[in-house]
Amino acid sequence: MYDYLIVGAGLYGAVFAHEAKKAGKSVLVIDKRPNIAGNVYTEKVEGINIHKYGAHIFHTNNKKVWNYITQFAEFNRFTNSPVANYHGELYSLPFNMYTFNKMWGVVTPEEAAAKIEEQRKDAGITEPKNLEEQAISLVGTDIYEKLIKGYTEKQWGRPCTELPSFIIKRLPVRLTFDNNYFNALYQGIPVGGYTKMVANLLDGIEVRLNEDYLAKKAEYDVMADKVIYTGAIDAYFDYKLGTLEYRSVRFENETLDKPNFQGNAAVNYTDVETPWTRIIEHKWFEFGKDEDGNDLPKTVISREYSSEWKPGDEPYYPVNDEKNGQLYAQYRELAEKENKVIFGGRLGEYKYYDMDAVIASALDMCEKELA
């Protein structure tokens, strides 16, 4: 009999497992995938750590989380500076003085601010009611049309006028020549990849892979006093109140016999005609070098296609609109009645979580549960 059965070997499950073991508890971790690390899983191809489930760049302002996670990995100094490609015109992301100079020929911060203000006035928006109006009020119509509209509609599969304004509230707009997208105190990529980091968290813990908890729930439930469940909350209850919506992502990977494809880790394709949202060139997360500092002769790229989720697909981004929020609240009520199950993580809490927030959430739960 275990103290804890942890369903899911992603970040939330791995942090909880590590802390539970440290507190002297017996722990079993299971995952239905053939690998640990959930969506942060990385695998080596041609000496390059490939982010199999999409680009993951660790960034946080939370010193407690940073001090915690750096026990399990050394992080490099990677800074996320994506490039936007609009029909072959290249722009700097986040929106900064390089972007404004390329778009309008402005040179000073005052000129850029005046241009945005002029376009905002012309659009006549006072209270932004949707994503389109929010974006125009932040950066003006030119940048919205070229760099936001097409990308966002591909990503969410809905017109910008139907998307809530809060999705874009975090949009970085800077009147400086700063290309650091996240602007976080701490950021980087674990040297050797995320899988190695999660393996360090799970060191000495029993892990069983290719195990589908929901298919053998009764069998597993009797094996432990408590269950930490990090899968989809609606799947746990067999979708009996309906299905929560997600956006999914499909990746087309290609290994190229050349050292450099696009010169940057991430290039966003912001026109609506290009079917993919972005291309990731994985080697640039680690400066194009292997662990010994040698240049890598080949490169691997991933084209990302955003799609509507259906059961059987990987759920990536919760669609946190009003309808789904209300349905989640009903599932949350059911979850609170499950006295031996704790629901956690992105799928268990139906929440768009950055990695640092997942770790913080898991550590909070550990403090409550293991104290």
Side-chain angles (χ1 to χ4, degrees):
M1 188 80 169
Y2 298 91
D3 293 315
Y4 291 98
L5 168 71
I6 296 170
V7 181
L11 276 179
Y12 190 101
V15 168
F16 193 95
H18 182 87
E19 292 305 298
K21 179 177 183 275
K22 204 165 83 179
K25 306 292 184 187
S26 57
V27 177
L28 170 64
V29 177
I30 62 171
D31 199 295
K32 67 177 180 186
R33 283 182 180 164
N35 53 266
I36 60 166
N39 277 9
V40 302
Y41 175 67
T42 49
E43 64 182 359
K44 262 209 177 17
V45 177
E46 298 290 346
I48 301 161
N49 289 309
I50 304 303
H51 296 217
K52 188 164 179 187
Y53 298 98
H56 284 81
I57 298 144
F58 196 90
H59 57 99
T60 189
N61 288 313
N62 185 327
K63 196 169 191 339
K64 177 186 166 186
V65 165
W66 181 249
N67 289 342
Y68 181 80
I69 202 62
T70 49
Q71 300 173 89
F72 306 100
E74 181 192 341
F75 282 73
N76 70 18
R77 53 178 180 79
F78 178 82
T79 299
N80 189 28
S81 304
V83 170
N85 181 324
Y86 177 79
H87 292 306
E89 292 172 28
L90 298 182
Y91 292 91
S92 201
L93 291 175
F95 305 129
N96 61 14
M97 286 304 297
Y98 291 113
T99 322
F100 307 139
N101 172 264
K102 174 92 186 249
M103 189 69 75
W104 300 312
V106 298
V107 174
T108 66
E110 287 90 337
E111 290 172 325
K115 194 77 185 167
I116 291 171
E117 185 52 32
E118 174 198 320
Q119 294 198 350
R120 199 168 66 132
K121 275 212 174 91
D122 289 350
I125 296 157
T126 46
E127 267 300 302
K129 291 190 247 330
N130 54 45
L131 189 144
E132 178 172 291
E133 293 182 358
Q134 178 71 37
I136 291 170
S137 69
L138 285 171
V139 288
T141 39
D142 291 342
I143 287 177
Y144 167 71
E145 290 291 341
K146 281 191 171 183
L147 304 184
I148 297 173
K149 187 176 192 290
Y151 184 86
T152 306
E153 292 185 348
K154 285 190 291 193
Q155 196 180 21
W156 290 99
R158 294 157 177 75
C160 288
T161 48
E162 288 176 21
L163 288 165
S165 58
F166 74 79
I167 290 180
I168 215 157
K169 281 224 162 78
R170 298 194 308 175
L171 195 69
V173 180
R174 305 206 185 108
L175 297 173
T176 62
F177 289 91
D178 178 7
N179 273 340
N180 179 350
Y181 190 86
F182 291 122
N183 228 6
L185 286 173
Y186 311 101
Q187 65 179 309
I189 304 276
V191 174
Y194 284 99
T195 304
K196 183 174 159 188
M197 179 183 92
V198 176
N200 290 338
L201 275 161
L202 292 170
D203 188 37
I205 291 164
E206 187 183 349
V207 178
R208 298 183 194 172
L209 300 172
N210 298 304
E211 289 291 336
D212 187 341
Y213 168 72
L214 295 177
K216 300 195 276 189
K217 192 172 170 311
E219 190 182 314
Y220 270 118
D221 284 349
V222 295
M223 289 171 69
D225 293 333
K226 269 201 161 167
V227 175
I228 308 295
Y229 176 80
T230 69
I233 189 168
D234 53 349
Y236 181 90
F237 294 105
D238 204 16
Y239 308 106
K240 67 180 177 189
L241 305 175
T243 306
L244 288 164
E245 292 177 297
Y246 293 88
R247 292 296 288 168
S248 195
V249 185
R250 178 171 65 78
F251 302 96
E252 255 176 29
N253 301 324
E254 209 181 330
T255 301
L256 303 172
D257 203 356
K258 55 165 114 176
N260 191 351
F261 172 75
Q262 63 187 18
N264 203 44
V267 175
N268 292 8
Y269 285 76
T270 61
D271 59 88
V272 79
E273 291 79 13
T274 304
W276 52 84
T277 50
R278 61 179 180 175
I279 297 179
I280 299 299
E281 187 169 6
H282 301 265
K283 72 190 300 184
W284 302 123
F285 289 129
E286 299 179 61
F287 313 112
K289 298 186 185 302
D290 66 16
E291 262 109 283
D292 302 318
N294 304 310
D295 288 334
L296 291 155
K298 294 187 181 180
T299 194
V300 179
I301 62 167
S302 299
R303 290 182 180 85
E304 290 188 15
Y305 298 82
S306 191
S307 60
E308 205 62 41
W309 177 85
K310 57 188 189 306
D313 295 344
E314 282 299 337
Y316 282 91
Y317 304 108
V319 180
N320 290 129
D321 59 11
E322 206 174 322
K323 178 182 77 165
N324 284 289
Q326 285 169 355
L327 182 56
Y328 168 68
Q330 293 174 283
Y331 275 121
R332 179 82 230 138
E333 271 179 41
L334 291 180
E336 278 158 11
K337 295 183 184 132
E338 298 277 315
N339 53 15
K340 79 174 246 185
V341 184
I342 292 166
F343 293 78
R346 189 176 49 94
L347 302 177
E349 298 173 61
Y350 193 64
K351 204 170 192 175
Y352 179 79
Y353 263 140
D354 284 331
M355 288 178 281
D356 63 326
V358 173
I359 293 165
S361 174
L363 289 172
D364 283 351
M365 184 52 73
C366 293
E367 278 173 25
K368 285 189 202 122
E369 183 62 26
L370 304 167

